[in-house]
Amino acid sequence: MSSEKVDAPLQTPIWALLPLRVFLGGTFLYAGLSKILDTHYLDHTSPLGVHAQMLHAATTSPIGPLVSFAAEYPTVTGPVIAFGEIAVGLGALLGLFTRIAALGGILLALSFFLTVSWTTRPYYFGADIVFAAAWTPLLIAGDAGLFSVTTRLRAAIRRPNLAPDDVKRRILLWGGLITATTAALGGVIVLTRRATIHSKPSRPTGPGTNSPTAIAAVSAVAVGSSTRFTTPDGSAAYLLRPSTDTFMAFLATCTHQGCPVTPAGTGFRCPCHGSTFDGNGQVTGGPAAKPLNNVPVRVVDGQVALETPPKPKSAG
């Protein structure tokens, strides 16, 4: 019996969950931190912010009204999502209330599935439903005491004269202190980011000109190249010059799930689900079914300017 424990410790079932814990915990921690550290995330005027993305997702989500309601409070909803991911990630990595962390991971993944990934076809192309399923083993089995902060806390505070209820209370106390400290540090980061957003100077709508509709000087855009600009309503867009006398512009938002597209060759590519578009904004591959939204432009006195400033996006 004792030789089995020594000879085959890695063959015990508890080790089988460790790679899953590391992957899920690391992924959710990274996802939460990347949101908090992104200057666009809490900026309600940015098309890349949580506000704009939730409004876009609400148009196709089966829980659209709830998503639209949450989108009206981005300064609350955004940090809740980000810190939820951070808490879930740390819980899984540290073995701190692992089952609770797994339940939080399932709920977050399901919420993303019902919003961001709901229209992905076939469904297994979307990662969120896979993440929801991947958390279930940790919900069922927990961390089994392997590399577990909760287990170490239990061992550290267990005394011969302490009742089981006292041990549980102390574990909850220390776990709560760790969680509260993490939340406090995160709150400082959020407040710092919000202060940065509100202190940013207003962006000029056209480089080198006082015109509210100017984008760029004709001479500044080489034939066959593209340049990024921001529309008056805060949307990111790209200006293209396919030939000497031709200019065209498109919003830098994928028509599939609203992710930002980036230039790829003579066209564009969406990094989220792989949709591709040609230089005319037409779909050439991926799940997107509609072309990129066109932004009418014209040349005025050596400047490329908006034909008509795009109207602000509706709440859907």
Side-chain angles (χ1 to χ4, degrees):
M1 180 71 70
S2 59
S3 62
E4 289 183 5
K5 293 181 180 179
V6 174
D7 295 339
L10 295 180
Q11 295 179 10
T12 55
I14 61 173
W15 285 90
L17 293 179
L18 186 60
L20 189 63
R21 272 179 60 191
V22 173
F23 172 74
L24 292 175
T27 300
F28 271 62
L29 177 60
Y30 174 80
L33 289 175
S34 64
K35 289 180 175 65
I36 293 300
L37 297 177
D38 184 358
T39 55
H40 297 286
Y41 184 64
L42 295 178
D43 186 353
H44 71 279
T45 65
S46 172
L48 306 180
V50 64
H51 175 70
Q53 293 187 32
M54 291 184 71
L55 288 179
H56 179 82
T59 60
T60 56
S61 171
I63 55 173
L66 178 60
V67 177
S68 296
F69 175 78
E72 296 305 316
Y73 304 93
T75 55
V76 176
T77 305
V80 166
I81 294 173
F83 286 121
E85 290 178 324
I86 292 173
V88 164
L90 286 176
L93 287 174
L94 300 178
L96 181 63
F97 306 124
T98 306
R99 283 192 173 91
I100 297 177
L103 178 60
I106 291 174
L107 294 176
L108 282 169
L110 286 177
S111 70
F112 298 150
F113 171 67
L114 292 174
T115 52
V116 179
S117 302
W118 182 252
T119 58
T120 301
R121 297 292 183 272
Y123 74 91
Y124 50 79
F125 277 3
D128 298 315
I129 189 64
V130 179
F131 276 111
W135 279 108
T136 56
L138 294 178
L139 177 64
I140 296 170
D143 54 45
L146 186 65
F147 302 120
S148 171
V149 170
T150 300
T151 299
R152 291 180 179 273
L153 286 174
R154 184 180 289 112
I157 65 177
R158 184 180 287 118
R159 300 288 186 275
N161 59 340
L162 285 180
D165 288 341
D166 292 330
V167 173
K168 291 180 180 179
R169 278 194 291 269
R170 295 193 179 195
I171 292 174
L172 290 174
L173 174 62
W174 281 103
L177 287 175
I178 294 173
T179 303
T181 301
T182 303
L185 292 174
V188 172
I189 296 175
V190 169
L191 291 176
T192 302
R193 284 292 172 185
R194 283 180 53 79
T196 302
I197 291 171
H198 290 299
S199 63
K200 287 190 300 184
S202 58
R203 294 170 295 188
T205 55
T209 177
N210 293 325
S211 171
T213 60
I215 299 172
V218 170
S219 58
V221 185
V223 176
S225 69
S226 64
T227 184
R228 185 183 174 97
F229 68 97
T230 303
T231 66
D233 70 346
S235 299
Y238 282 99
L239 172 68
L240 291 77
R241 189 179 187 180
S243 64
T244 303
D245 300 321
T246 305
F247 290 88
M248 58 180 64
F250 304 98
L251 292 180
T253 303
C254 181
T255 53
H256 173 232
Q257 290 290 338
C259 291
V261 298
T262 55
T266 58
F268 301 91
R269 183 181 184 277
C270 174
C272 294
H273 303 104
S275 296
T276 56
F277 306 84
D278 63 19
N280 294 314
Q282 298 300 313
V283 178
T284 58
K290 298 179 180 179
L292 295 176
N293 293 312
N294 180 62
V295 179
V297 295
R298 60 192 175 100
V299 177
V300 180
D301 297 328
Q303 299 283 335
V304 183
L306 297 177
E307 182 74 38
T308 302
K311 296 180 180 179
K313 298 176 183 178
S314 67

